[in-house]
Amino acid sequence: MKGSVVLLGRAAIYFDEVARRGALRRAADVLHIAPSAVDRQIIQLEEELGTKLFERTATGMRMTAAGEVLVDGVRRWRRDLLRIRSEIDNLVGLRRGTVSIALVEGAVGYVSTATATF
């Protein structure tokens, strides 16, 4: 089962990229992999689900109704995964981000020293 989840994860990411780009080659370029590797993942996903997810046309890939249903779920899954990772980072104290501070001219030296100490 675990291997299936990893396969689904990779296939889902490739599927989502093809859905966004509308073509295997454009998705492969963004993913920095061969178009044939993306196509294999899509084909395996279609076989696992028992339905076509894209109509392959001369100009690219167009989602089927099943593809539309799946893309919604995949995008929700990816958003949830990012949220979960963020929550776990918060638990272990690995919160990262950017802080912007606006200062009056006279406070720059004080805040710079306090920030460096922090």
Side-chain angles (χ1 to χ4, degrees), residues 90-101:
N90 285 339
L91 289 174
V92 296
L94 297 177
R95 186 73 175 164
R96 296 183 182 114
T98 303
V99 175
S100 298
I101 301 173

Side-chain angles (χ1 to χ4, degrees), residues 18-83:
V18 172
R20 288 178 195 280
R21 309 293 169 193
L24 286 170
R25 179 161 301 283
R26 286 190 295 254
D29 288 346
V30 169
L31 295 164
H32 305 291
I33 58 173
S36 60
V38 176
D39 194 37
R40 276 193 305 274
Q41 290 293 321
I42 300 296
I43 290 168
Q44 286 178 336
L45 191 53
E46 288 175 331
E47 288 173 359
E48 187 172 323
L49 296 172
T51 188
K52 292 290 181 192
L53 300 171
F54 291 101
E55 292 177 18
R56 287 153 171 82
T57 68
T59 58
M61 307 276 279
R62 188 174 8 165
M63 274 191 290
T64 63
E68 294 284 347
V69 170
L70 182 61
V71 79
D72 182 53
V74 165
R75 290 177 181 166
R76 259 193 324 249
W77 168 71
R78 293 182 79 180
R79 282 190 305 270
D80 286 347
L81 186 57
L82 288 173
R83 180 187 51 77

